[in-house]
Amino acid sequence: MKAEPDTRLVNSVDVRFSIDDLAAAGTSSWEGVRNYEARNIMRDGMRVDDLVLFYHSNCKVPGVAGIARVCRNAYVDHTAFDVSHPYYDAKSDPANPRWFMVDVEFVRKLDRLVPLKELQSLKSQPALSGMALLTRGRLSVQPVSAAAYEFIVELSKTSPAAPE
DNA sequence: GCCAACGTTGGC
DNA sequence: GCCAACGTTGGC
């Protein structure tokens, strides 16, 4: 799941959210997803206790920052109905809601941030083959194989690759 | 149902 | 701030 750790204004509201923000909050809803495929993954593909890689995007060093866990199955994203909310969507009808969200809880930060660049340099590794993060960067909620999850968590325990 | 125009994402 | 990739919209 991607979040933006740096200041980001949406309709004049700062929607930044980092792994440290999740750590401070303990749990958080994942409101604001306004893409159908990402919604479907949350609604149909995620269940309580699933582990989540927390990715920092749109920032100086994009990459995987930590681990979270799903703690509530998908439910209606009510922020879409609130005209004063930055994620308001007039097309989501309360009688037939368009958008859904899950809740996640903080598990831990990785020992170090695993930069996207590093993962790109390792994309020929079988564990990362076909990983959505590397093949279609723009999806904000993506499936992660068990192999990719393990690979990235183990990678975070190693020293960063030396710069070229 | 096609597809051009337009909007968004997100790395750089 | 640029812009490529790609998702969404809407005319036909």
Side-chain angles (χ1 to χ4, degrees):
Chain A
M1 301 183 95
K2 297 184 182 178
E4 299 175 82
D6 296 339
T7 294
R8 168 86 194 286
L9 296 182
V10 175
N11 298 325
S12 307
V13 178
D14 189 351
V15 296
R16 69 179 293 277
F17 194 68
S18 69
I19 189 71
D20 291 322
D21 293 323
L22 181 61
T27 70
S28 177
S29 54
W30 205 267
E31 73 278 6
V33 170
R34 298 292 180 262
N35 169 283
Y36 292 107
E37 188 174 356
R39 176 204 67 185
N40 292 346
I41 291 166
M42 286 198 296
R43 189 185 58 189
D44 308 329
M46 296 177 80
R47 289 297 178 266
V48 166
D49 288 340
D50 285 351
L51 292 169
V52 173
L53 294 179
F54 191 111
Y55 179 89
H56 283 173
S57 75
N58 217 354
C59 58
K60 193 165 180 193
V61 183
V64 181
I67 300 171
R69 184 189 295 116
V70 177
C71 61
R72 183 176 172 186
N73 289 342
Y75 58 107
V76 172
D77 183 346
H78 51 80
T79 66
F81 310 137
D82 178 355
V83 288
S84 67
H85 196 281
Y87 296 132
Y88 174 66
D89 179 4
K91 292 181 217 155
S92 188
D93 174 2
N96 185 21
R98 179 176 291 202
W99 304 118
F100 292 80
M101 58 187 172
V102 297
D103 288 355
V104 299
E105 63 188 0
F106 177 74
V107 175
R108 65 182 176 87
K109 293 176 75 170
L110 295 183
D111 295 343
R112 65 178 177 89
L113 183 115
V114 177
L116 175 62
K117 271 211 154 182
E118 186 173 351
L119 295 175
Q120 287 171 332
S121 76
L122 295 168
K123 69 179 177 201
S124 60
Q125 292 284 326
L128 298 182
S129 78
M131 189 180 189
L133 185 69
L134 304 176
T135 59
R136 30 188 317 227
R138 258 153 271 121
L139 195 58
S140 68
V141 179
Q142 318 185 338
V144 177
S145 70
Y149 177 91
E150 285 302 323
F151 183 87
I152 291 168
V153 170
E154 290 305 309
L155 190 60
S156 73
K157 297 174 182 170
T158 67
S159 299
E164 291 172 27

